Amino acid sequence: MSDYVISADPDRLDPARIHHWLSTDAYWALGRSRAKQDAALAGSLNFGAYDPVSGEQVAYARVVTDRATFAWLCDVYVDRSARGKGLGTALVEAVRDELEPYGLRRILLATGDAHGVYEKIGFEVLEDPDKWMALGFQ
């Protein structure tokens, strides 16, 4: 995995590729419009992982944060060609390390299928989920 380059540089992102991944292959974002995805990118701290030879983007993660108290990690996606190499773990570790200096109280995420990846990095199931609420529009 160490060969991949992980960066928060927004100029390196491939928005078309990110949109394709999420809107066609990510259960939580199927059918998401390009306009909606571009707006999400613009309002977030974004991370990409890149092949060291081709420079092609092979993974993505997005963070919604105030950079003071809270962050929500979302849209973590690793291209099928790069899976199984520890890249997802390395990407989330890089996100955690980038956020650490802000002194956030918590970083939240929701996942239906990757608990093991996040547990390796220190994420835990909510201790008291009854305290949390959500307002959904769709």
Side-chain angles (χ1 to χ4, degrees):
M1 184 339 277
S2 60
D3 292 344
Y4 292 100
V5 175
I6 298 173
S7 173
D9 180 355
D11 294 331
R12 293 193 70 178
L13 296 170
D14 184 339
R17 177 174 294 225
I18 294 165
H19 174 255
H20 175 75
W21 284 334
L22 297 178
S23 67
T24 65
D25 194 41
Y27 68 85
W28 65 91
L30 293 175
R32 184 182 289 170
S33 73
R34 176 66 190 266
K36 181 75 75 176
Q37 182 58 45
D38 287 350
L41 238 109
S44 301
L45 175 60
N46 301 281
F47 295 80
Y50 305 89
D51 182 276
V53 176
S54 68
E56 182 176 89
Q57 187 171 352
V58 294
Y60 174 70
R62 183 167 72 87
V63 177
V64 180
T65 184
D66 61 8
R67 292 182 169 97
T69 62
F70 177 81
W72 172 44
L73 173 62
C74 54
D75 288 346
V76 178
Y77 186 90
V78 177
D79 187 81
R80 290 183 178 275
S81 68
R83 292 181 187 171
K85 302 173 184 175
L87 180 55
T89 300
L91 179 59
V92 175
E93 286 174 337
V95 169
R96 178 202 60 203
D97 295 348
E98 180 81 14
L99 295 174
E100 194 274 329
Y102 297 123
L104 304 173
R105 181 170 179 164
R106 68 179 44 92
I107 301 170
L108 290 180
L109 65 87
T111 183
D113 63 353
H115 291 81
V117 170
Y118 298 106
E119 287 170 347
K120 284 190 270 187
I121 298 156
F123 282 88
E124 300 172 346
V125 174
L126 290 175
E127 189 174 307
D128 194 355
D130 292 339
K131 289 183 179 178
W132 295 89
M133 298 177 73
L135 175 63
F137 294 105
Q138 295 180 3

